[in-house]
Amino acid sequence: MSLPLFLVAQLPSGDLFTLDGPEGHHASTVQRLRAGEQLILADGRGGTASAVVTAVGRGTLNLSITTRGYVPPHAVALVVAQGIAKGDRGELAVQAMTEVGVDEVVPWAAARSVVRWKDERGEKSRQRWVDTAREAAKQARRPWLPTVAGAAGTAALAGRLRDAALGLVLHESATTPLTAVDLPASGEIVLVVGPEGGIADEELAAFDAAGAVAVRLGPEVLRTSTAGVAALSVLSARLGRW
C-alpha cells in the first residue's frame, strides 16, 4: 500500500517537523498513524519529503525527515474548461479529473449552464472546487495540486484556446476522434467540456474561430461529470503519462 500524503504550506528545512493543524488532526485522529509509521509530505508544487512518525500528540505528529524529492511539472499541461453544472456534478468532475492528472480546471460559465456563479455565492462555489481538488490530490498521492481558476466566460475562454498549444472541444457532432489529433510536445492543451445542456452553436463557432479542434471520444454521449475524465485518460496515455 502506498504511503499516505499530507499537504503542507512549506516543506521543513530541517530533519524534524511537527505536523499540526487540519492535516495533523487527520493524520493522528482519522488515519490514526502511530510511531514508526511512514508518510509523505508535499507542498503541492512538486516538492516532497518522506518522514517517519516519532511521536503522536493530540492532533499532532512529530516527524523525522528521511528523504527529500522534487517532481518536475509535465512538459504538456492539461487544462480543462469545465462547464459549470448544477448540483454536485461539477465537484464530481473536479474530483475525478484531479485523480487522473488534470493540471488546471477553469470553471466555464457557458450559455447553457443552469447555475450562475455570482458574487459571494460564486466564490463559495469555486472554493468547493478548490477543496475538492485538494482532497482528491491527497488521495491520489499527487505532488502537484491542480489550479482552479476563476470562472471564465466564453470570450475569455476563446482567448485561452487561442493562446494554447492545442485547443480541443468535446462535441457530440464532431467527426475527428481524440485519438487522431496531433499532440504538442510542450505548452498547454486546453480541453472544453460543456455543461448538461451542451455547447451552444455560437460558442462552438467562437472556439472554432480561436483555432480549437472539435473532437469526440466515441459514439456514446457522456455526462458533463465524466466526459473530461475520459478525455484526460486518453490524453494521459497518448502523452506517456500513463
Side-chain angles (χ1 to χ4, degrees), residues 94-185:
V94 171
Q95 175 183 324
M97 291 191 298
T98 299
E99 291 176 5
V100 299
V102 72
D103 295 300
E104 182 180 354
V105 180
V106 180
W108 172 37
R112 294 176 180 170
S113 290
V114 176
V115 177
R116 296 294 169 182
W117 286 10
K118 294 182 180 179
D119 304 323
E120 184 179 351
R121 178 182 177 183
E123 182 53 36
K124 286 182 178 179
S125 297
R126 176 186 171 275
Q127 188 59 48
R128 284 197 293 271
W129 284 28
V130 171
D131 294 341
T132 297
R134 179 183 176 87
E135 293 307 309
K138 289 169 57 179
Q139 189 278 331
R141 277 62 165 177
R142 286 188 54 169
W144 282 89
L145 269 178
T147 302
V148 178
T154 298
L157 181 53
R160 187 73 182 265
L161 289 166
R162 188 176 294 109
D163 294 338
L166 175 63
L168 301 171
V169 182
L170 286 181
H171 200 272
E172 60 187 21
S173 67
T175 57
T176 302
L178 181 56
T179 53
V181 178
D182 290 334
L183 302 183

Side-chain angles (χ1 to χ4, degrees), residues 42-61:
D43 60 9
R45 301 178 298 277
T48 63
S50 299
V52 176
V53 179
T54 58
V56 180
R58 181 174 295 180
T60 64
L61 294 182

Side-chain angles (χ1 to χ4, degrees), residues 183-197:
L183 302 183
S186 61
E188 288 185 348
I189 295 177
V190 179
L191 171 75
V192 180
V193 179
E196 299 99 321

